[in-house]
Amino acid sequence: MSLRGARAAWARGWGAGCRRGASDLPRPPPRAVDVAELLRDATVAEERPRAAEARRPPGQCSVLLFPGQGSQLVGMGRGLLRFPRARELYAAARSVLGYDLLELSLHGPQEALDRTAHCQPAVFVASLAAVEKLQHLQPAVIENCVAAAGFSVGEFAALVFAGAMEFTEGLYAVKIRAEAMQAASEAVPSGMLSVLGKPQSKFSFACLEAQEHCKTLGIADPVCEVANYLFPDCRVISGHLEALQFLQKNSSKYHFRRTKMLPVSGGFHTRLMEPALEPLTQVLKSVGVKKPLVSVHSNIDGKRYMHPKHIQKLLVQQVVSPVKWEQTMHAIYERKKGVEFPKTFEVGPGKQLGAILKSCNLQAWKSYQNVEVLADDDGGA
């Protein structure tokens, strides 16, 4: 991959017009187009990248991880504003969303930022602005990127970074997704419960008993199921609030060491989100999805996306399916003994994905860094 190619993988959409209703989405400044052509150049000769990748020492390669909903914090973005292209992303986002996302991200209030309709676009834009910071400070990280993955809505940011979607189209799809999920969550009192268990914990059995409890309360079709596989013995369970409260009350029975309600508004990644499927399906039909220029791993099964139609199908399915993050980490970092691990960068607010990586693969985590988005660290990433 050439350095010129590597400076702009995700920004492919910055230069092209958006297909949604001609040009009612903004055309960002042409100088922000660098990073997509970097990866596109690398695919011109198929045999050369394969050979170059084989020669590149694994320890010089990089992996980018994009966080999801729940990582948002008031103040995020402040550490990115001295990078002009990061500011341009927020300016473009204002046109797409119809409100000042940067103002909300910087000053809150937290309750407004936590709303699903707001926090998903906020995390998406902050993550791609963090890529701009990383490209400015450590361009070799972008040039040597071999894989990317995003947690839930973070998968959209990973795909934009990899050139599979244009920025404005990806953001508009996230907007529709977030608004549809917000509406679905308001229809039924539901939530998500983080559970740290033990090897003997029986998550599925616990969910079945919680569903039976809900039926005794008159809930006709109760939902309680594993929504996120984080690391060994740690799951997020999603469903009706009554089911989650039952699990908290009976945590010792199921050998749960710790339970904690997450700051989200609904039972995401379950069939409670089915009303959001049709709006997301329709908006993705209007998005020009392309084959990613670096490997992007799907939340559905941890495998790499291979075809644009595959992307569109699984992004919809993801809304009502568990996020298999633990499996994704194994797929990305599995290697023979003695082979170096790539450098990993968490691009976006928080360090949650780094903490999960540490529990999934301690050796891989030793080469982990996060890109600061809250404060200007004025140094490296």
Side-chain angles (χ1 to χ4, degrees), residues 66 146-150 154-164 292-299 302-306 311 328 332:
F66 294 80
V146 295
E155 196 165 315
F156 284 80
L159 287 163
V160 170
F161 162 73
L293 299 174
V294 295
S295 297
V296 177
H297 291 254
S298 167
N299 285 184
K303 297 178 181 177
R304 293 180 297 168
Y305 282 116
M306 301 304 293
I311 294 172
T328 300
I332 292 175

Side-chain angles (χ1 to χ4, degrees), residues 53 56-63 141 144-146 341-345:
E53 187 172 308
R56 186 187 303 144
Q60 291 182 13
C61 297
S62 56
V63 172
V141 171
N144 295 323
C145 182
V146 295
F341 285 93
K343 294 179 173 64
T344 297
F345 294 83

Side-chain angles (χ1 to χ4, degrees), residues 71-78 90 105-106 113 122-123 126 349 373-374:
S71 62
Q72 68 277 358
L73 286 169
V74 170
M76 66 181 190
R78 186 167 287 115
Y90 280 103
S105 297
L106 291 178
L113 184 60
V123 171
V373 301
L374 283 171

